[in-house]
């Protein structure tokens, strides 16, 4: 497969996962601010850390509140992590692959582009943020469902899967890291923090799955352990790391021994997650969470350098 095609599929996987993650983040936080009136600014600020777009936001908008942050994360094309930007970039990558991917995948992206990517802050004026985010989330799930059902399990599938899992692991790590940092800063407000940790579960679409495993215990430690290390939950960091490695191993079978250092890096990440304990990950001011996030980003950079640099 040409590196251009592989790169497009890889970034489609990343952008579609990013659009869904951001849409979930906005939806859950929208309801959290309704339930904790009077602390709106405090609730919206951490979303910028989770999305990794705080520096650009501060430079362009300054104040983080219930108007500027949703507009930045949902509609602003100056933000490469916004829902609109992610969907538009996914469509642009797919446009050059229309003869290489099932027509249903293209139609899904093209329809979402025209339905969602020209929306603006008027959505907030009519209180339509929930509908916008729900449509974006459903688009991502529909797209990956079509891909799962129709895309051949070849090199293209593996690159798209690698991009999806890399983005998912990165997002959940940022989510847990940001919330745990806030939790450690003010442990006196236990009830408020527990409420926010339930929101973390809902942001990762993990609330029902977590409650099946932990009927009575809702604590930051057990929630963090579930989202980071649970081997069977498909949005946990461990699951993402394992599936990222499997995708890269599949690519390596097609190109035997082409990039052994990259595969070793992915295998080392899996080994760390397999043998880590939650105490190790959240100890010492959560330094290990930062290390894991760096590892995911390093693998992403290595994929680009190994397969996409001409």
């Amino acid at each position: 497969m040409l590196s251009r095609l592989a790169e497009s599929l890889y970034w489609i996987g990343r952008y579609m996962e990013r659009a869904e993650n951001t849409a979930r983040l906005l939806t859950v936080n929208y309801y959290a601010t309704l339930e904790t009136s009077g602390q709106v600014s405090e609730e919206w600020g951490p979303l910028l850390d989770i999305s990794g777009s705080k520096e650009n936001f501060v430079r362009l908008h300054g104040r983080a509140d219930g108007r500027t942050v949703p507009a930045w994360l949902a509609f602003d094309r100056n933000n490469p992590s916004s829902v609109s930007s992610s969907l538009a970039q996914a469509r642009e990558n797919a446009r050059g692959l229309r003869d290489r991917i099932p027509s249903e995948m293209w139609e899904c992206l093209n329809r979402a582009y025209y339905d969602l990517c020209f929306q603006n802050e008027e959505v907030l004026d009519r209180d339509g943020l929930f509908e916008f985010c729900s449509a974006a989330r459903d688009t991502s799930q529909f797209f990956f469902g079509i891909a799962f059902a129709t895309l051949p399990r070849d090199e293209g599938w593996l690159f798209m899967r690698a991009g999806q899992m890399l983005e998912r692991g990165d997002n959940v790590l940022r989510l847990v890291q940001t919330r745990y940092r806030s939790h450690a800063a003010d442990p006196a407000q236990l009830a408020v923090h527990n409420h926010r940790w339930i929101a973390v579960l809902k942001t990762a679409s993990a609330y029902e799955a977590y409650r099946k495993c932990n009927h009575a215990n809702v604590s930051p430690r057990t929630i963090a352990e579930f989202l980071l290390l649970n081997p069977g939950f498909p949005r946990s960091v461990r699951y993402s790391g394992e599936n990222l490695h499997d995708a890269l191993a599949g690519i390596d079978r097609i190109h035997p021994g082409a990039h052994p250092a990259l595969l070793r890096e992915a295998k080392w990440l899996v080994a760390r997650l397999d043998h880590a304990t939650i105490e190790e990950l959240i100890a010492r001011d959560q330094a290990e969470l930062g290390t894991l996030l760096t590892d995911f980003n390093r693998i992403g950079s290595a994929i680009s350098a190994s397969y996409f640099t001409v």
Side-chain angles (χ1 to χ4, degrees):
M1 176 176 286
L2 295 175
S3 63
R4 179 182 63 83
L5 303 180
E7 184 175 11
S8 293
L9 285 163
Y10 167 81
W11 280 107
I12 288 172
R14 292 203 68 164
Y15 283 128
M16 292 305 292
E17 182 69 22
R18 186 177 301 174
E20 180 179 348
N21 290 335
T22 305
R24 289 179 183 278
L25 190 65
L26 283 168
T27 300
V28 173
N29 204 72
Y30 170 74
Y31 280 107
T33 57
L34 294 180
E35 295 170 357
T36 58
S37 57
Q39 299 180 2
V40 175
S41 296
E42 181 186 349
E43 290 295 333
W44 288 108
L47 271 63
L48 301 171
D49 292 316
I50 295 169
S51 65
S53 61
K54 184 174 183 178
E55 183 176 341
N56 287 336
F57 174 87
V58 171
R59 178 172 53 85
L60 293 172
H61 298 284
R63 177 180 172 80
D65 56 34
R67 178 81 179 190
T68 56
V69 175
W72 171 254
L73 292 178
F75 319 115
D76 201 324
R77 294 292 188 92
N78 293 315
N79 175 16
S81 297
S82 74
V83 174
S84 290
S85 288
S86 298
L87 291 174
Q89 289 295 328
R91 176 187 180 271
E92 183 63 24
N93 277 277
R95 196 159 62 91
L97 302 178
R98 292 184 62 179
D99 60 336
R100 300 295 188 103
I101 61 175
S103 59
E104 294 93 334
M105 291 174 66
W106 163 252
E107 291 165 4
C108 173
L109 288 176
N110 198 44
R111 184 167 54 249
Y113 175 75
Y114 285 107
D115 288 346
L116 299 175
C117 292
F118 296 94
Q119 303 274 9
N120 54 41
E121 292 187 41
E122 292 179 0
V123 171
L124 303 179
D125 295 332
R126 64 173 185 268
D127 199 23
L129 183 62
F130 173 78
E131 288 76 12
F132 175 88
C133 292
S134 294
R137 178 202 63 198
D138 293 348
T139 293
S140 175
Q141 293 179 337
F142 186 46
F143 175 83
F144 284 122
I146 294 171
F148 184 84
T150 63
L151 199 63
R153 296 316 193 253
D154 57 9
E155 194 174 355
W157 163 266
L158 293 170
F159 273 108
M160 190 182 73
R161 185 69 170 165
Q164 181 189 18
M165 292 296 103
L166 188 68
E167 189 71 29
R168 181 176 295 181
D170 175 275
N171 179 264
V172 175
L173 273 170
R174 290 180 185 275
L175 180 65
V176 174
Q177 184 184 47
T178 300
R179 184 51 68 199
Y180 227 102
R181 187 184 302 129
S182 172
H183 167 79
D186 190 9
Q189 300 182 15
L190 183 60
V192 174
H193 285 304
N194 285 343
H195 180 272
R196 292 173 181 169
W197 275 98
I198 291 175
V200 167
L201 285 172
K202 292 179 178 179
T203 300
S205 193
Y207 181 73
E208 290 79 8
Y210 173 84
R211 296 297 285 180
K212 288 180 180 178
C213 297
N214 300 272
H215 300 288
N217 189 4
V218 179
S219 69
R221 180 194 175 281
T222 56
I223 291 172
E225 183 175 25
F226 184 82
L227 291 176
L228 294 172
L229 298 177
N230 189 285
F233 180 60
R235 302 190 74 86
S236 76
V237 174
R238 180 176 176 182
Y239 186 96
S240 298
E242 290 175 349
N243 279 265
L244 172 61
H245 169 266
D246 291 346
L248 293 175
I251 296 169
D252 185 72
R253 285 192 290 272
I254 298 172
H255 304 282
H259 302 287
L262 172 59
L263 197 59
R264 282 198 303 271
E265 196 79 36
K267 190 176 295 185
W268 174 241
L269 174 62
V270 171
R272 289 186 60 198
L273 290 167
D274 282 347
H275 297 286
T277 65
I278 190 60
E279 287 76 18
E280 294 169 347
L281 294 179
I282 63 177
R284 293 182 298 158
D285 198 28
Q286 298 85 56
E288 287 299 314
L289 295 181
T291 301
L292 282 174
L293 186 60
T294 299
D295 289 344
F296 269 91
N297 292 332
R298 185 185 299 118
I299 291 173
S301 298
I303 291 173
S304 296
S306 298
Y307 291 107
F308 307 146
T309 302
V310 178

